[in-house]
């Protein structure tokens, strides 16, 4: 049995929680540490791993720990780090490990038993889980405390002597490690990072910076940058940089005759990759944190670009953390609801019901926490200290906010569906969902305005796009009202426009669902294309076309506070794959799926959408559609016809 391959093993969830803990402590602004504003969970300090196994013949094992503890074979304590003989027969192997400053984990090699996912792990006498492991950690000398990024050298496109220093331009947004060599140890060196040239040169206001002295060589923390200004200039100073990234396969793609849209797609994909790391981040410069609303969209984009199950799974685990619930995820009410909804989306994408089962109790306790603060009508409201976000927009947030109730209704429906999948009684969730949907209609629908108001508590009867977008996305409004919303809200220029790619994503999703792809095409050209025309090499956190120059970089009261590389800018990847190429699952893990291409005013489109078991290639113009699926279960829906897509065969129809 010498071919057995050992892996480091750890308690379910602790790898994600450990790396989330590190991640959320790394933020720095203007030379100051800036840890996350919310509760931070930590891995269990003491974990017990065990396995019962059979030996057909005598063999050996050797175990090591990341932490302090002992190895026990059949109740006999053994030293770690050395070989032990195991006789033929039945055995029980146990590791008990404590690590107070890291991630407790175990590694067992041998010819009769090795550490892998077949082990069980528990936090002493509480619930046991299957141990976790990945092929990334098969080396005894590299523990799971080191995240497996890859690195490659990168060089600046140009170096310019300016403002008494050297300005390095790397040509586009980057994330990486910088080394400085041949520095004068007696000199005070300033390193100023910028997503824009203006930021790198404005030392007083640059968000990310380093002040160095006392060494001849420096290895700096991983940072986001396009520009780096080293000041004052030093003769002989050498700057080297390495791109730090997660190796992900680009499985999806899209092309059309419009080169601006093609560039939008490519820029969104590059932006999304930069923010796909330990987890789905919000942005790579300012905070580099994991936000549940941002991640909710990233899960959707991921399915049409990388289809990386582990990245989605890691992010879901990290965001939720451990019980008891002490505050909303990211302190935001809506972000807690997104987390619960994401479990249903995860199941439809990957068909991994076991994971949903592992997380379902956490969904229950999180929903209980959300429901612990309601108003007299049963609507969710924020507790003191909560952030009712929705979007960066002038929304009337007095009392119970309509957009939150839309999410609440959908969350209750999701809980009912997940309960049924897990053979639990979800009727109470289903009843409450429909009760709350009726209340939403009664309290928030404004027949005269043709939409849902933000809040009834203030008496302002203010209508914005946000709640109405959710009413369409989640089918809370009936078809007749959805058409009213389309006419009187979504296509009404008098309603305040959305300026974040975050909610622009949801808005275009609603428009596509209502069949308005031509409007979506125009908005992608104007909004995402507007950034590209201004020279963006990655998608920004917010874009307001009425601004100009350095105004585009300001946010949060800071001259360069806006992220110019933000994951929620990846929306076009999802929209173009889901609605234009038209590929979507009709059962979990794409066991069945439909392909319904739509041009959206374009002359021709082509691209690839990944699935768990293959890919779907689509090519279409006004007169012809060609589809090849390498996986079974597909149906082409076009021209009033439904045509089966046999795996590996090309199906063509004329329109």
């Amino acid at each position: 049995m010498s071919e057995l391959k050992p892996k480091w093993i750890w308690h379910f969830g602790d790898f994600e929680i450990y790396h989330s803990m590190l991640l959320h402590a790394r933020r720095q602004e203007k030379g100051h540490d800036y840890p996350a504003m919310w509760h931070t969970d930590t891995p269990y300090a003491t974990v017990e791993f065990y396995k019962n196994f059979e030996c057909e013949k005598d063999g050996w094992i050797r175990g090591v720990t990341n932490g302090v503890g002992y190895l026990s074979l059949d109740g006999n304590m053994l030293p770690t780090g050395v070989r032990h003989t195991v006789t033929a027969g039945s055995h029980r192997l146990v590791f008990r490990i404590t690590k107070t400053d890291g991630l407790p984990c175990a590694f067992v090699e041998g010819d009769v038993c090795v550490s892998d996912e077949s082990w069980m792990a528990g936090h002493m006498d509480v619930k046991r889980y299957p141990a976790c492991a990945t092929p990334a950690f098969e080396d005894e000398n590299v523990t799971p405390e080191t995240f497996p990024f890859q690195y490659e050298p990168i060089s600046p496109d140009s170096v310019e002597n300016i403002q008494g220093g050297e300005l390095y331009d790397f040509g586009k947004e980057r994330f990486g490690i910088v080394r400085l060599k041949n520095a004068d140890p007696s000199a005070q060196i300033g390193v100023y990072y910028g997503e824009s040239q203006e930021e790198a040169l404005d030392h007083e206001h640059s968000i990310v910076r380093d002040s160095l002295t006392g060494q001849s060589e420096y290895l700096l923390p991983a940072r986001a940058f396009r520009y780096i200004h080293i000041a004052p200039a030093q003769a002989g100073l050498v700057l080297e940089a390495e791109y730090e990234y997660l190796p992900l396969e680009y499985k999806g793609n899209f092309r059309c005759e419009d080169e601006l849209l093609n560039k939008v797609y490519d820029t969104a994909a590059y932006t999304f990759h930069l923010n796909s790391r330990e987890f789905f981040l919000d942005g790579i410069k300012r905070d580099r944190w994991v936000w549940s609303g941002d991640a909710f969209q990233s899960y959707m984009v991921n399915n049409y670009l990388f289809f990386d199950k582990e990245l989605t799974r890691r992010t879901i685990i990290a965001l939720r953390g451990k019980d008891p619930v002490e505050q909303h995820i990211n302190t935001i009410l809506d972000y807690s609801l997104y987390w619960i909804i994401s479990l249903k989306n995860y199941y439809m994408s990957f068909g991994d019901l076991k994971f949903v089962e592992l997380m379902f109790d956490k969904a229950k306790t999180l929903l209980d926490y959300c429901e612990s603060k309601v108003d007299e009508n049963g609507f969710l409201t924020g507790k003191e200290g909560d952030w009712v976000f929705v979007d960066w927009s002038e929304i009337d947030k007095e009392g119970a906010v309509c957009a939150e109730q839309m999410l609440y209704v959908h969350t209750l429906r999701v809980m009912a569906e997940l309960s049924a999948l897990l053979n639990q009684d979800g009727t109470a969730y289903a009843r409450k969902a429909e009760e709350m949907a009726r209340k939403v209609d009664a309290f928030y629908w404004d027949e005269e305005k043709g939409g849902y108001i933000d809040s009834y508590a203030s008496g302002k009867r203010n209508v914005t796009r946000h709640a109405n977008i959710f009413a369409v996305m989640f089918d809370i409004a009936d078809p007749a009202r959805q058409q009213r919303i389309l006419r009187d809200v979504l296509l009404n220029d008098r309603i305040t426009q959305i300026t974040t790619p975050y909610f622009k994503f949801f808005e275009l999703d609603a428009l596509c669902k209502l069949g308005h792809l031509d409007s979506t095409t125009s908005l992608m050209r104007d909004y995402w294309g507007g950034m590209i025309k201004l020279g963006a090499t990655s998608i920004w956190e917010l874009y307001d076309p009425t601004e100009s120059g350095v105004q585009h970089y300001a946010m949060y009261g800071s001259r360069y506070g806006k992220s110019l590389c933000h994951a929620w800018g990846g929306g076009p990847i999802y929209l173009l794959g889901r609605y234009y190429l038209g590929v979507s699952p009709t059962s979990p893990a794409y066991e069945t799926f439909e392909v319904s291409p739509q041009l959206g005013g374009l002359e021709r489109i082509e691209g690839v959408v990944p699935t768990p078991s293959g890919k779907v290639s689509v090519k279409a113009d006004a007169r012809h559609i060609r589809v090849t699926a390498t996986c079974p279960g597909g149906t082409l829906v076009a021209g009033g016809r439904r045509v089966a897509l046999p795996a590996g065969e090309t199906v063509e129809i004329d329109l």
Side-chain angles (χ1 to χ4, degrees):
M1 298 178 67
S2 58
E3 75 278 0
L4 294 175
K5 202 158 193 178
K7 306 171 188 173
W8 282 99
I9 56 175
W10 56 87
H11 190 283
F12 173 75
D14 273 359
F15 174 81
E16 293 80 7
I17 288 170
Y18 174 74
H19 285 284
S20 176
M21 177 183 72
L22 297 182
L23 178 79
H24 290 101
R26 287 187 190 131
R27 177 176 176 177
Q28 292 183 328
E29 281 198 18
K30 301 180 179 178
H32 300 285
D33 292 321
Y34 194 139
M37 63 188 73
W38 48 79
H39 168 79
T40 300
D41 283 307
T42 59
Y44 290 123
T46 301
V47 178
E48 189 171 85
F49 302 96
Y50 70 89
K51 179 172 180 174
N52 300 322
F53 63 99
E54 297 283 336
C55 291
E56 296 179 359
K57 59 181 181 179
D58 292 354
W60 64 274
I61 59 166
R62 174 181 169 273
V64 296
T65 68
N66 187 46
V68 298
Y70 64 81
L71 173 66
S72 169
L73 179 64
D74 303 327
N76 299 308
M77 294 179 66
L78 302 171
T80 59
V82 296
R83 284 195 179 200
H84 302 286
T85 300
V86 181
T87 59
S90 301
H91 298 281
R92 180 179 177 85
L93 192 57
V94 177
F95 254 122
R96 183 171 294 170
I97 303 169
T98 293
K99 198 167 196 299
T100 58
D101 60 349
L103 177 62
C105 44
F107 186 91
V108 179
E109 62 175 344
D111 61 357
V112 292
C113 180
V114 299
S115 50
D116 58 21
E117 298 89 337
S118 65
W119 286 57
M120 298 296 291
H123 173 48
M124 305 311 293
D125 293 327
V126 298
K127 184 176 180 180
R128 262 47 177 177
Y129 295 87
C132 294
T134 75
F137 298 108
E138 295 177 341
D139 183 345
E140 176 188 339
N141 298 309
V142 181
T143 77
E145 289 185 350
T146 300
F147 196 84
F149 289 119
Q150 289 192 6
Y151 299 86
E152 64 180 49
I154 52 175
S155 300
D157 288 5
S158 65
V159 182
E160 178 185 1
N161 192 290
I162 185 172
Q163 289 185 197
E166 300 289 338
L167 180 68
Y168 298 81
D169 178 2
F170 285 80
K172 60 182 178 180
E173 187 87 11
R174 297 288 198 171
F175 190 91
I177 296 170
V178 172
R179 290 182 178 86
L180 299 181
K181 297 181 177 181
N182 301 333
D184 178 357
S186 66
Q188 185 83 30
I189 304 172
V191 183
Y192 304 93
Y193 303 82
E195 293 184 303
S196 64
Q197 178 173 313
E198 291 88 345
E199 180 181 10
L201 294 175
D202 189 347
H203 298 174
E204 180 183 354
H205 298 100
S206 64
I207 299 294
V208 183
R209 62 182 76 155
D210 289 304
S211 181
L212 311 172
T213 191
Q215 296 175 218
S216 60
E217 186 169 328
Y218 300 93
L219 176 63
L220 303 180
R223 311 284 200 191
F225 55 86
R226 172 177 171 176
Y227 298 90
I228 299 176
H229 192 227
I230 308 290
Q234 280 199 17
L237 184 69
V238 176
L239 181 149
E240 297 176 347
E242 284 187 302
Y243 174 37
E244 180 183 274
Y245 65 100
L246 190 67
L248 294 166
E249 180 186 354
Y250 283 72
K251 298 177 181 176
N253 60 62
F254 176 86
R255 279 293 177 268
C256 65
E257 81 281 357
D258 186 331
E259 285 306 314
L260 179 60
L261 277 183
N262 291 340
K263 194 164 185 179
V264 164
Y265 184 95
D266 292 344
T267 306
Y270 181 66
T271 302
F272 192 66
H273 193 178
L274 285 171
N275 285 285
S276 300
R277 293 175 52 78
E278 301 99 322
F279 318 103
F280 290 119
L281 306 188
D282 64 330
I284 59 170
K285 180 189 80 170
R286 190 186 56 247
D287 51 344
R288 295 160 53 192
W289 290 344
V290 188
W291 297 83
S292 185
D294 308 49
F296 180 76
Q297 292 190 354
S298 289
Y299 306 145
M300 301 164 74
V301 174
N302 174 45
N303 287 355
Y304 286 85
L305 187 64
F306 303 132
F307 212 88
D308 190 287
K309 174 183 174 181
E310 294 308 313
L311 183 48
T312 293
R313 179 185 169 106
R314 285 199 305 270
T315 306
I316 291 173
I317 293 171
L319 278 166
R320 180 56 181 83
K322 299 180 184 293
D323 279 329
V325 182
E326 298 185 9
Q327 62 183 174
H328 283 298
I329 294 176
N330 310 123
T331 76
I332 301 176
L333 171 58
D334 24 313
Y335 280 25
S336 289
L337 300 173
Y338 283 128
W339 186 88
I340 297 171
I341 295 167
S342 72
L343 292 181
K344 168 68 182 308
N345 294 358
Y346 173 90
Y347 176 63
M348 283 299 295
S349 301
F350 305 108
D352 184 0
L353 189 58
K354 182 62 178 177
F355 178 72
V356 174
E357 183 179 9
L358 288 169
M359 303 303 293
F360 191 59
D361 283 346
K362 292 181 181 292
K364 288 181 178 179
T365 53
L366 183 57
L367 181 56
D368 288 345
Y369 183 82
C370 294
E371 293 180 328
S372 65
K373 180 73 185 293
V374 296
D375 69 7
E376 66 277 8
N377 297 305
F379 292 126
L380 294 187
T381 59
K383 303 172 188 286
E384 184 177 354
D386 287 349
W387 181 5
V388 177
F389 173 54
V390 184
D391 187 26
W392 295 117
S393 184
E394 294 299 320
I395 300 168
D396 180 2
K397 295 181 180 179
E398 185 173 336
V401 178
C402 185
E404 304 283 8
Q405 314 319 314
M406 298 290 187
L407 285 170
Y408 181 36
V409 170
H410 189 58
T411 298
L412 290 166
R413 290 174 177 171
V414 164
M415 289 296 288
E417 292 178 50
L418 295 180
S419 296
L421 287 169
L422 297 171
N423 296 316
Q424 299 185 28
D425 184 3
T427 54
Y429 293 124
R431 283 197 301 267
K432 196 168 193 177
E434 298 323 303
E435 174 193 350
M436 296 310 300
R438 289 191 294 271
K439 284 186 177 181
V440 166
D441 282 344
F443 281 81
Y444 294 96
W445 176 257
D446 189 309
E447 182 64 27
E448 180 181 349
K449 295 184 176 182
Y452 291 91
I453 60 174
D454 291 336
S455 168
Y456 64 84
S458 68
K460 296 177 182 177
R461 312 293 294 176
N462 187 55
V463 174
T464 56
R465 296 172 183 268
H466 303 79
N468 292 284
I469 289 167
F470 283 159
V472 173
M473 283 179 59
F474 302 137
D475 288 315
I476 295 169
D478 62 31
R481 283 188 176 174
Q482 289 189 23
Q483 290 303 312
R484 287 288 309 277
I485 289 169
L486 176 66
R487 185 191 71 190
D488 296 336
V489 181
L490 301 185
L491 299 180
N492 183 355
D493 289 338
R494 293 190 302 275
I495 303 296
T496 302
Q497 294 294 326
I498 290 167
T499 57
T500 61
Y502 174 55
F503 236 89
K504 187 68 74 174
F505 175 109
F506 290 142
E507 181 180 31
L508 298 190
D509 190 32
L511 284 172
C512 287
K513 184 176 179 181
L514 294 173
H516 275 253
L517 272 72
D518 287 19
S519 298
T520 299
T521 303
S522 177
L523 284 166
M524 282 194 290
R525 284 186 181 123
D526 293 344
Y527 189 82
W528 278 267
M531 289 182 251
I532 300 298
K533 289 176 181 178
L534 289 173
T537 63
S538 50
I539 305 300
W540 303 346
E541 182 176 10
L542 182 148
Y543 170 59
D544 184 345
T546 66
E547 295 176 339
S548 62
V550 295
Q551 290 179 322
H552 283 299
Y553 308 144
M555 204 168 174
Y556 309 109
S558 176
R559 188 176 296 182
Y560 305 102
K562 185 182 297 179
S563 164
L564 301 189
C565 180
H566 221 68
W568 70 25
I573 297 165
Y574 168 80
L575 297 166
L576 292 167
R578 167 64 181 84
Y579 293 106
Y580 291 68
L581 299 178
V583 182
S584 62
T586 52
S587 59
Y590 290 72
E591 185 176 337
T592 60
F593 61 91
E594 289 186 352
V595 183
S596 183
Q598 301 177 75
L599 294 176
L602 299 170
E603 294 178 7
R604 60 185 182 276
I605 59 172
E606 63 179 296
V608 174
V609 172
T611 74
S613 56
K615 63 181 182 180
V616 182
S617 301
V618 179
K619 188 172 184 178
D621 57 32
R623 294 187 291 184
H624 191 75
I625 296 174
R626 174 190 173 108
V627 179
T628 305
T630 64
C631 44
T635 301
L636 173 60
V637 181
R641 288 173 281 175
R642 297 181 62 86
V643 182
L645 295 169
E649 297 184 17
T650 297
V651 173
E652 301 186 58
I653 64 170
D654 293 319
L655 301 174

